[in-house]
Amino acid sequence: MEPQAFIELVAGSARQSYLNYHIFPSITIAQAILESGWGQKVPVDSTTGRSSYNLFGIKGTGPAGLVTTVSKEVVNGETVSHPSEFKAYYNYQQSIDDHAQFLLKPAYKKVLMAQTPQEAAQALSKAGYATDPQYADKLIRLIQNYNLSAYDQFTPEEPSPYPPWKLDLGKRALREGLITSPEWLGKLDEPLPAWAVFAIALRLLDKQRQVP
């Protein structure tokens, strides 16, 4: 598959995912390119040939079950098989959304708070997302070389679950430590349960008392 064809294949899903999870589409596309080898490394079941649509190599059981791949290596002159089970999805949108949900963990909150894709790439690396020390640089090069930032632009007519002012308030609350998990950015219109109100109030008190 040609690079631009692969980009177009996943770009729509990356943009749709952004509306719910607020991760730059350019970052999602670059990660999909890097981790799937332009789609060539998407796990395929060794027995049935069924594609997993798994762009990020996430192991486990997904909405469409799982696929089993078998790799072989020679150990002490003998060929040894190593089966691996990967999540299977019905389409790339599910894969991208599952990956975005993984990044909602508190460890990655600076990825969502980033003002630019470059900041998001560095935040991923600093949070320990990948063991490759060049991971952030590779993402940034892909974004620059293929102009992936163009997919971060949205017209006013395009749907968004929240108006910009609500999202800005949510991100500021996250940055200031009033909320501790990026998951709250997807719940901006939900009523807060009492425990959440107490938690925010207590964090405000802690800040006033300079408690870390």
Side-chain angles (χ1 to χ4, degrees):
M1 185 182 299
E2 293 295 320
Q4 192 58 39
F6 178 79
I7 290 171
E8 294 298 332
L9 183 66
V10 301
S13 296
R15 285 167 62 82
Q16 183 62 40
S17 187
Y18 170 82
L19 298 178
N20 294 317
Y21 302 105
H22 319 296
I23 298 167
F24 284 109
S26 59
I27 284 290
T28 300
I29 297 168
Q31 286 192 281
I33 292 170
L34 194 57
E35 297 181 32
S36 75
W38 294 96
Q40 299 303 306
K41 297 179 182 178
V42 170
V44 174
D45 193 274
S46 297
T47 302
T48 66
R50 179 169 69 105
S51 174
S52 64
Y53 292 99
N54 189 331
L55 291 166
F56 306 98
I58 301 175
K59 293 186 176 181
T61 302
L66 56 83
V67 299
T68 301
T69 66
V70 179
S71 59
K72 297 182 178 181
E73 64 176 331
V74 177
V75 179
N76 297 326
E78 295 185 5
T79 301
V80 180
S81 297
H82 296 285
S84 299
E85 296 179 342
F86 294 90
K87 284 187 176 184
Y89 307 92
Y90 291 107
N91 50 55
Y92 287 130
Q93 183 71 63
Q94 288 184 335
S95 175
I96 287 173
D97 285 346
D98 192 31
H99 177 255
Q101 289 172 22
F102 173 79
L103 294 180
L104 292 181
K105 294 180 179 180
Y108 298 107
K109 73 175 185 178
K110 289 187 178 180
V111 177
L112 279 75
M113 292 164 53
Q115 299 297 308
T116 66
Q118 290 76 14
E119 286 183 18
Q122 295 292 346
L124 277 169
S125 185
K126 290 178 181 178
Y129 177 88
T131 57
D132 182 356
Q134 301 300 315
Y135 188 77
D137 292 338
K138 290 177 180 178
L139 291 180
I140 292 169
R141 280 198 298 272
L142 284 169
I143 291 169
Q144 294 173 340
N145 291 344
Y146 293 94
N147 192 28
L148 300 183
S149 294
Y151 297 98
D152 297 333
Q153 309 304 314
F154 289 81
T155 64
E157 292 77 19
E158 292 183 86
S160 175
Y162 307 112
W165 66 268
K166 284 187 180 180
L167 189 55
D168 287 343
L169 283 175
K171 287 187 174 181
R172 183 181 175 190
L174 183 65
R175 185 167 56 250
E176 296 290 344
L178 299 184
I179 54 177
T180 57
S181 172
E183 290 185 25
W184 286 105
L185 295 180
K187 303 176 181 180
L188 295 178
D189 281 335
E190 293 184 13
L192 283 178
W195 66 264
V197 175
F198 295 154
I200 292 173
L202 289 170
R203 288 191 68 81
L204 282 171
L205 287 174
D206 288 345
K207 277 181 165 291
Q208 289 181 333
R209 296 167 179 161
Q210 296 184 337
V211 175

